[in-house]
Amino acid sequence: MPELPEVETLVRGVRQELVGKSFVSVSFLRADIREPIPTLRLKQILTSQPVHSVTRRGKYMLIHTSQGSMGVHLGMSGKFVLSASSQERLPHTHAVFELVDGRQFRFIDPRRFGRLFSIECEELNEHPFLSKLGVEPLNDDVNLAKHLFQSSRSKSQAVKVFLMDSSVVVGVGNIYASESLWRAKINPHVSAKQLTSKMYTNLARQIIKVLSEAILAGGTTLKDYRNKDGNPGYFQLNLAVYGREAKPCRKCAAMIVKTTQAARSTYQCPICQK
DNA sequence: AACACGCCCTGCGCGC
DNA sequence: TGCGCGCAGGGCGTGT
């Protein structure tokens, strides 16, 4: 599934293709995904003026023109790919954004957990989907360790659940929560407020490291919906615990254990993460 | 305020 | 072989 590193990679690619260019047409093949798509407003925003910037906030990609912005969330199964207009449309293509040269960005999302929405210029930072988001873990101006420590003082919930709370920190999904906790040798079930400042310093470092490595590993490409193996082309980071139930820990060879927290799978090493 | 939980949705893997 | 069930999960909304 698309995580922060993939969205970041996507944003960089889309930025390169789009900034300074206009869409000649925007069409929707269905009017809703999770909720109704503001189709008319998005057409107005995207076709009247060229794109002046493409940014990311958490796992949201934001495409800006002087008329407003489009927010894109890929949900669980979303893709935003660049195709030749002659290329056959894949099933579950919900929106098509056509460029002057005939190529088109296509929004494809089989499970429809994604989002396409409009943002007015004056509400960019007040939009309900964006205003409550926590800090960006990879932003240089953010002291992630300090932020996590301070925000966790009153939180009795498990640290893994705490890490996945996007109002605290964005972009740490189920995979990276497990991976960073394993790297930091912290038990995912421990209460967030029980961890010391020192532990959060280590944890923050591991979060930043694993996300950065994933970005370096290369996210999806814009043009190839499927890689040569027939996979959707998500980056291939070497995951240490996620999805490795009953397999040996890469540090101590103990069997990785899978549990459930907040209805999500958690993977941990019972020895390294006591 | 904190937090648990339900819901949205389709593809896929598994068991019978 | 084929079918049906259960799981996968981000994030918002609701209830306690």
Side-chain angles (χ1 to χ4, degrees):
Chain A
M1 69 230 64
E3 299 268 347
L4 183 148
E6 276 145 337
V7 179
E8 178 60 28
T9 305
L10 173 70
V11 163
R12 291 176 189 183
V14 171
R15 182 181 291 146
Q16 198 143 27
E17 291 290 344
L18 269 190
V19 170
K21 295 179 189 166
S22 302
F23 290 109
V24 291
S25 74
V26 171
S27 47
F28 298 93
L29 288 88
R30 61 178 302 143
D32 64 279
I33 311 172
R34 292 172 52 149
E35 58 241 349
I37 301 169
T39 56
L40 285 178
R41 188 67 192 117
L42 286 177
K43 284 183 194 194
Q44 288 167 352
I45 289 170
L46 295 173
T47 58
S48 57
Q49 293 292 326
V51 172
H52 68 63
S53 57
V54 182
T55 60
R56 181 185 61 73
R57 182 72 177 98
K59 294 180 188 171
Y60 291 95
M61 172 166 68
L62 306 172
I63 296 176
H64 310 278
T65 77
S66 64
Q67 299 300 300
S69 311
M70 173 169 74
V72 180
H73 197 293
L74 298 177
M76 300 298 302
S77 59
K79 311 267 187 310
F80 197 84
V81 297
L82 187 56
S83 309
S85 55
S86 57
Q87 198 172 324
E88 200 179 333
R89 273 208 296 265
L90 288 161
H92 309 292
T93 299
H94 307 314
V96 177
F97 307 87
E98 191 170 352
L99 295 164
V100 188
D101 62 13
R103 294 180 303 162
Q104 40 192 233
F105 278 100
R106 296 173 181 176
F107 179 78
I108 305 157
D109 185 9
R111 281 155 81 173
R112 306 213 297 276
F113 268 41
R115 287 206 150 90
L116 293 177
F117 58 102
S118 59
I119 309 161
E120 303 307 321
C121 294
E122 64 276 10
E123 64 160 2
L124 191 51
N125 295 312
E126 286 83 47
H127 190 282
F129 290 160
L130 307 176
S131 64
K132 296 175 194 76
L133 293 177
V135 301
E136 287 287 339
L138 299 181
N139 188 331
D140 289 339
D141 302 333
V142 170
N143 185 332
L144 184 60
K146 193 177 169 190
H147 177 73
L148 290 178
F149 178 71
Q150 288 177 349
S151 333
S152 64
R153 293 307 83 197
S154 60
K155 301 291 179 78
S156 55
Q157 64 189 160
V159 61
K160 193 248 189 178
V161 178
F162 169 70
L163 278 188
M164 289 177 65
D165 181 347
S166 63
S167 71
V168 175
V169 55
V170 295
V172 184
N174 205 35
I175 293 175
Y176 294 110
S178 278
E179 291 296 314
S180 56
L181 286 164
W182 177 81
R183 289 184 180 212
K185 301 191 175 187
I186 293 169
N187 185 333
H189 297 271
V190 168
S191 162
K193 66 181 176 190
Q194 285 180 353
L195 298 191
T196 62
S197 166
K198 203 172 172 181
M199 290 161 114
Y200 276 113
T201 299
N202 185 21
L203 179 56
R205 187 177 298 137
Q206 302 308 329
I207 290 169
I208 291 164
K209 236 178 118 186
V210 73
L211 291 175
S212 305
E213 283 173 24
I215 291 171
L216 284 175
T220 64
T221 62
L222 289 175
K223 290 163 195 170
D224 303 319
Y225 174 60
R226 294 188 179 278
N227 66 20
K228 58 181 166 29
D229 306 317
N231 296 317
Y234 293 138
F235 58 84
Q236 302 291 313
L237 187 72
N238 205 6
L239 298 177
V241 281
Y242 187 84
R244 297 192 64 245
E245 185 184 14
K247 290 185 175 149
C249 170
R250 300 232 156 105
K251 283 180 192 154
C252 76
M255 299 270 250
I256 300 299
V257 171
K258 178 185 173 184
T259 52
T260 299
Q261 291 182 280
R264 265 75 171 155
S265 303
T266 296
Y267 297 86
Q268 79 184 93
C269 170
I271 304 300
C272 295
Q273 299 171 268
K274 276 191 174 155

